[in-house]
Amino acid sequence: MLVTLLLALIALSALLFVGRGFLAWAVAAGVWLAGWRITGIASPLLFEATALVLTALAVVFGIPAIRRALVTARVMPIFAKVLPRLGETERIALDAGTVWWDAELFSGKPDWSKLLAFRPQPLSAEEQAFLDGPVEQLCAMLDDWQINQLRDLPPEVWDFIKKQGFFGMIIPKEYGGHGFSAIAHSRVVTRISSRSVAAAVTVMVPNSLGPGELLLHYGTAEQKNHYLPRLARGEEIPCFGLTGPEAGSDAAATQSTGVVEKRIVDGKEILGLRLEWKKRYITLAPVATLIGLAFRIKDPDHLLGNEDDLGITCALIPHDLPGIEIGLRHDPMGVPFMNGPIVGNDVFIPLDQVIGGHAGIGQGWRMLMECLAAGRSISLPALSVGAAQMMTRICGAYATVREQFDTPIGRFEGIEEPLARIAAKTYMMTATRTLTCGALDAGEKPAVLSAIAKAYLTDSMREVVTDAMDIRAGSAIQRGPRNSLARAWDAVPIGITVEGANILTRSMIIYGQGAIRCHPFVQKEIAAVALSDLAAFDAALFGHVNLVLRNATRAKLCALSGSRLADAPDVQDTRRYYQHLSRFSAAFEFASDIAMGTLGGSLKRREKISGRLADALAYLYLASSALKRYEDEAKTTANLNLVSWCAEYSLYKVQEALRGVTENLPTRAAAWMLKLAIFPLGARFRPPSDKLGARVARDILEDREARATLTGDVFIPPPGEPGLGTLEAALDKAVRAIPVETKLRDAVRAGTLDRAPGYMLDEMGLKAGVITRAEYDLLQEAEAARNEVIAVDAFDPAIFKTLH
């Protein structure tokens, strides 16, 4: 009897593991019955009764027509009460964009061959020329300290940006723009941001959500032909008014209104909109000449139809119309990009100013959601990557040049630890940026992945900048031309906050959209229930049941086998990481179904749980990106150390997120079952080891090529310029001096020279003939360069009257 049961369980587990739900149960039942029959354990009557029951169940659940009539028809009303009910704004948000690799991660069985076969679009020759030409020239013109003191870009910089078409990167060539790819757009912003956040924001906003992008996708032919060339040439400076005092995260709740009415304008009766709005936090508003505005149209006199409320709409508004108050500035953390409020009172525009014309009325929310589905992937992730690469470049050099106790500080484990985090997170952030932009260039609009890129790359930027500030210590907190870190520190909260605050993005958007949009069956179930389509609901429901059984089994067996049963591509060095990610993909999907099944529609309000599930999905994606980058680039020792750190860190974060779910699910029986399935041997993953962190840190300290590759988007200023310029020059001299310093230390160990501070040891070595005059001069050059690097700015007290 026990042997028969064991064989049945083995057959069941094996078939469920490969996704054969109904067949698995049928085979297991057959094995069990055959065992009964062969061994004679059961009486003929019991055997026949059991066989009859199992046959009946097979008929009921195996024949769709019978199953729909006897089972699904009764289950469907129950699901109608449990499944989340979607409002119109939620439905539009869910329908925006596409699913891509996130759907594979949600499946529980990601097809790694698809990811590895995908080739992100490289820069075209024209895009590379723009990066090497106008972008380099712009960066050379920027003095970030001066920009901060002037509280604006210099006039010549504004002129250069306009003339070189920086505002028209996304505008097609037929309208006078550059028509750049997403990755080119991202790399331009990344490089500029390594030089000046204010300049980067100024360039990226016209190429992000705003009049240009909305016109491109939804404008009428007349609107495109009139505005796009002017935007591309910089003759119009755009801004977009979305956020208001009453509508931040809930932008759909805007109180900005446009009332349909007729007015006499220049002697003619015109049908148009009387607008009232208050907007704030609007980037470029103080200098904008063309305002994009989101508002809700009201038609109380039914001039356009029978509806009173026509929905959210977007329109184009010249800045100089009567009733508009524009020009005041906010001060976002002291970072001097143009940002301010816009107020409109009794502003009248004709209906043809609505983006898309009459057909665009009421379509504003759909326009915004579809554009954000792609736009979040580019601007702020690019800004974050620029900051991270800059921190890596600075800290890798500084930890080599700066000495304490006659030893470069990078040799101390206390510095080694944050240095490894900085380098590895920069590798993972850049990989995520590249993969996500690659998806955009391939025609995808990955709404969930773009939200992950925005939230987790800006959060990673915060962590990287914090570590960099700690490494630079006192020199990082003294503001001045020499200090590039303080201005990055000031800017960090801006990226965290805008385009959807990260708290909202993590707790609501990523998993709120992902659970429905990326899940193989949930959206189909919701749609079937809404349409009362029994056949579609039946197919989705039992496909869902099969998925749950498969992933519960896969998660448990993969956990018991140390992930060795999990799928992985045939690659060198990193195959085990793919196996662990496959295991956690199954565990994540199973945890999602348990959470949705026990919490139902209330999961939307359980933001701590949905936030943890968002963490799990996000780190599955970040690790996928890092592994993909490793396969696409040279397989150097430094890259292997970096991708290993990223994978181990991500696996630990996924584990902790799922542990948080199991420990906090309200239904404790379900939580216990979930924990038993995904962690039968306990939580076994740990953060990257000290040894691995030491290897990563040494690579960016000693491997100049690895450091250059890791920071390839950073603008390198001339050697004499305060900040990174002097640091790079000091690093070159310090590296050339290392063999001489080693010779002196060897002499001290051998007893040829007495132990002494570095500056005295140099003299002693020269007098004793341990080093030559040329070697002594090299040490003095390196020491002078070090002194220049560790120096901080000091000001005449009178200057602080104007430094604001």
Side-chain angles (χ1 to χ4, degrees), residues 112-172:
W112 296 108
S113 64
K114 288 183 180 179
L115 182 68
L116 296 183
F118 176 71
R119 291 290 177 264
Q121 177 179 319
L123 294 182
S124 67
E126 183 180 342
E127 291 167 341
Q128 187 64 57
F130 188 79
L131 201 61
D132 295 338
V135 176
E136 284 287 297
Q137 295 172 45
L138 174 61
C139 289
M141 296 171 68
L142 299 172
D143 181 336
D144 204 33
W145 176 252
Q146 180 193 40
I147 292 169
N148 274 263
Q149 305 320 306
L150 294 175
R151 312 298 301 147
D152 192 6
L153 302 177
E156 61 272 19
V157 170
W158 276 105
D159 289 342
F160 185 83
I161 287 172
K162 293 175 183 178
K163 289 177 181 177
Q164 295 297 324
F166 280 89
F167 289 163
M169 288 192 291
I170 67 168
I171 295 175

Side-chain angles (χ1 to χ4, degrees), residues 245-275:
E246 76 293 338
S249 299
D250 185 10
T254 181
Q255 293 179 16
S256 301
T257 60
V259 178
V260 182
E261 64 176 38
K262 294 180 180 179
R263 281 195 186 182
I264 303 298
V265 178
D266 296 330
K268 295 181 180 179
E269 185 179 69
I270 294 178
L271 183 63
L273 299 169
R274 172 171 49 84
L275 300 170

Side-chain angles (χ1 to χ4, degrees), residues 388-429:
Q389 289 193 15
M390 186 68 170
M391 299 305 104
T392 302
R393 189 94 189 184
I394 289 173
C395 291
Y398 186 78
T400 300
V401 172
R402 177 69 161 134
E403 293 187 347
Q404 292 285 271
F405 310 106
D406 292 329
T407 304
I409 63 171
R411 305 296 177 187
F412 295 101
E413 289 192 358
I415 299 296
E416 204 174 64
E417 188 176 16
L419 201 57
R421 290 196 297 263
I422 290 171
K425 288 180 181 178
T426 298
Y427 182 89
M428 186 160 62
M429 292 167 67

Side-chain angles (χ1 to χ4, degrees), residues 621-695:
Y621 180 58
L622 296 178
S624 299
S625 301
L627 289 166
K628 167 68 172 167
R629 178 180 182 179
Y630 179 73
E631 292 302 319
D632 288 350
E633 295 183 353
K635 292 181 175 59
T636 63
T637 300
N639 282 348
L640 179 58
N641 290 333
L642 286 163
V643 75
S644 297
W645 195 102
C646 295
E648 292 178 19
Y649 175 78
S650 296
L651 287 166
Y652 176 72
K653 297 290 280 187
V654 174
Q655 170 188 273
E656 294 305 291
L658 294 177
R659 283 183 65 199
V661 173
T662 64
E663 291 168 2
N664 291 279
L665 270 179
T667 307
R668 296 314 300 157
W672 176 84
M673 180 183 69
L674 177 61
K675 187 174 183 180
L676 188 63
I678 64 179
F679 296 121
L681 302 178
R684 309 294 289 271
F685 291 92
R686 299 290 179 268
S689 67
D690 290 348
K691 288 184 179 179
L692 178 57
R695 294 200 300 269

Side-chain angles (χ1 to χ4, degrees), residues 316-337:
L316 299 168
I317 305 169
H319 75 293
D320 54 357
L321 290 182
I324 295 178
E325 299 174 24
I326 191 170
L328 295 177
R329 290 183 65 177
H330 296 312
D331 187 4
M333 295 301 296
V335 181
F337 61 89

